[in-house]
Amino acid sequence: MPYKPPLLFQAPGQWQSTKTESTGLPPGQQLVLMFATPYLTSWGNKKENYVLQQIYQWANITLALVTIHLSEYSLFEVTCEHDFKAFQYTLQGYGFAALYNHGCIPLYEGTYTLQYIPKGSHKVILSAGTYHYFYMISDTFLSTPTSIDPHIDAQNQYTEKGKNNSVVTRLPMDHRVKDLIRRLLELPGNEPEVPFTTISIITKLNRHYYRQINNMVGEPKPIDFRAWVNTFLANNMDISVRQLIQKIKQDFSMEATTLRNYWIKSGHKKDSPRASFKKLRFEYALYLIAVENLSSKQAQEQLGFKNHSNFVEEFNNYFGYPPNQIDKFLIR
């Protein structure tokens, strides 16, 4: 019997009647975990929206490559039937998840964390587009005695607060992390060595995480500029755009022109750093209003906008509707 995914994705309420489930890959799927079982949940008049989970389960290890494709702004639920700790990597896209009884998880491209996921119903809000996530669960590696690996103690201290209704700080996916995940994605299907190679890669990802925890303070110039900036943005969502830019310029010892050039080289060819950061803040404002049920005034204050009228006007310019009319573009 196929392994049941740890996370069960639900179609937005108004599309529930169109929801279908299957075990095939959608046309044009780019990322494929060759040795995994696909679980496809689709909805919409033409099944144009879907969540594909490619699940691999062996012994006490679970790996999942998740692709979400949406044709419109969507808010949907994700059900977790039991508690677990998982490494969660955002490979592509920017969005937000509301972890039940914990708070907001910023799902920013190039960032990851080891997060405690409680049993219950969680929420995800995303704009139209394609998103790729990878997560892995392994009780064995997450409970290794500290006498065997001293780095484990750092993990215990760093993630224990996850059980106390907290969201853990995110880390940048550096070149080492990306290379190890790439190796997982390139493993062939139905080969006898897959389980053992998988264990080896997971162990390396696990140890690298602990090293990053120990070294994340005092590294002002990491190799992957984009991943570092996205991590900083994810961990500082409530400060103003001006403060964000000042902090980044200070940490990297660069002027505004240099920051802009680095930003363009890292893949943001259409928008300046200021414009990109501003977009993410309005996406976060939508999350606060739609998911956490804040008023537009409360969202404005939390995001540090001084004038409510200006906030409403800019929100309207970005989404095409004011904060009190989000149901005109958000499917939920």
Side-chain angles (χ1 to χ4, degrees):
M1 183 176 180
Y3 180 74
K4 189 176 183 180
L7 299 176
L8 303 177
F9 289 80
Q10 308 297 325
Q14 65 189 81
W15 285 122
Q16 276 293 331
S17 62
T18 69
K19 174 184 171 182
T20 60
E21 296 182 342
S22 63
T23 56
L25 295 174
Q29 176 63 25
Q30 295 181 342
L31 295 184
V32 178
L33 202 58
M34 296 298 295
F35 51 93
T37 301
Y39 296 83
L40 181 64
T41 302
S42 308
W43 65 86
N45 292 328
K46 298 180 180 180
K47 302 296 183 288
E48 64 274 23
N49 305 286
Y50 63 80
V51 175
L52 171 67
Q53 293 195 83
Q54 301 178 63
I55 305 291
Y56 171 72
Q57 197 274 335
W58 183 78
N60 65 333
I61 297 172
T62 300
L63 302 181
L65 178 61
V66 180
T67 298
I68 301 177
H69 180 78
L70 302 170
S71 62
E72 52 205 340
Y73 270 99
S74 301
L75 171 61
F76 49 92
E77 293 190 354
V78 182
T79 303
C80 180
E81 297 188 342
H82 60 86
D83 299 357
F84 60 84
K85 279 183 181 179
F87 282 99
Q88 186 277 316
Y89 304 82
T90 301
L91 308 182
Q92 178 177 307
Y94 297 81
F96 300 93
L99 198 60
Y100 173 71
N101 209 27
H102 279 61
C104 178
I105 297 182
L107 302 171
Y108 286 10
E109 183 175 309
T111 69
Y112 79 105
T113 193
L114 173 57
Q115 177 67 51
Y116 173 77
I117 309 294
K119 176 181 178 180
S121 181
H122 316 292
K123 295 182 179 180
V124 176
I125 185 168
L126 300 170
S127 61
T130 301
Y131 303 82
H132 297 296
Y133 307 101
F134 177 73
Y135 69 87
M136 60 184 192
I137 306 168
S138 175
D139 294 336
T140 297
F141 297 116
L142 300 183
S143 59
T144 303
T146 55
S147 59
I148 296 177
D149 189 342
H151 290 96
I152 302 297
D153 189 51
Q155 176 260 320
N156 291 336
Q157 296 177 23
Y158 197 63
T159 62
E160 186 61 27
K161 67 178 182 178
K163 291 186 178 181
N164 300 322
N165 302 337
S166 300
V167 172
V168 178
T169 302
R170 299 188 74 78
L171 298 175
M173 289 175 57
D174 60 17
H175 294 304
R176 177 62 171 165
V177 172
K178 292 178 180 178
D179 179 65
L180 288 169
I181 291 178
R182 177 188 58 78
R183 288 173 57 189
L184 274 175
L185 296 178
E186 291 177 351
L187 288 177
N190 300 320
E191 296 292 337
E193 68 270 15
V194 165
F196 307 103
T197 306
T198 299
I199 289 175
S200 174
I201 295 175
I202 290 176
T203 302
K204 291 174 181 177
L205 283 167
N206 201 39
R207 289 181 59 84
H208 188 70
Y209 171 77
Y210 306 141
R211 293 191 182 100
Q212 279 195 286
I213 292 174
N214 292 332
N215 297 327
M216 67 180 182
V217 177
E219 284 194 80
K221 293 185 179 180
I223 296 174
D224 195 322
F225 176 79
R226 182 174 183 175
W228 186 91
V229 171
N230 285 343
T231 301
F232 180 80
L233 295 174
N235 294 329
N236 296 276
M237 295 185 296
D238 292 330
I239 67 176
S240 69
V241 171
R242 181 180 179 182
Q243 290 174 308
L244 286 169
I245 292 177
Q246 287 178 340
K247 177 65 174 174
I248 293 170
K249 287 166 60 179
Q250 176 183 335
D251 285 359
F252 282 88
S253 300
M254 60 175 61
E255 298 299 323
T257 301
T258 308
L259 171 60
R260 188 180 303 111
N261 291 337
Y262 266 93
W263 192 246
I264 292 172
K265 290 179 181 178
S266 68
H268 298 82
K269 297 183 179 180
K270 295 183 179 179
D271 296 317
S272 66
R274 184 177 298 275
S276 299
F277 301 166
K278 198 170 184 178
K279 284 183 177 181
L280 287 176
R281 283 168 60 75
F282 278 110
E283 298 285 349
Y284 182 44
L286 176 62
Y287 164 87
L288 293 174
I289 294 169
V291 179
E292 297 194 2
N293 297 315
L294 267 62
S295 66
S296 62
K297 178 66 175 176
Q298 290 172 318
Q300 168 239 320
E301 292 174 348
Q302 181 161 332
L303 290 172
F305 285 85
K306 296 181 179 180
N307 186 288
H308 183 245
S309 297
N310 288 345
F311 170 77
V312 172
E313 180 180 358
E314 292 193 46
F315 187 100
N316 184 74
N317 290 338
Y318 182 71
F319 290 107
Y321 295 94
N324 62 352
Q325 297 182 27
I326 62 173
D327 282 332
K328 290 190 176 181
F329 67 90
L330 177 64
I331 306 300
R332 55 179 173 175

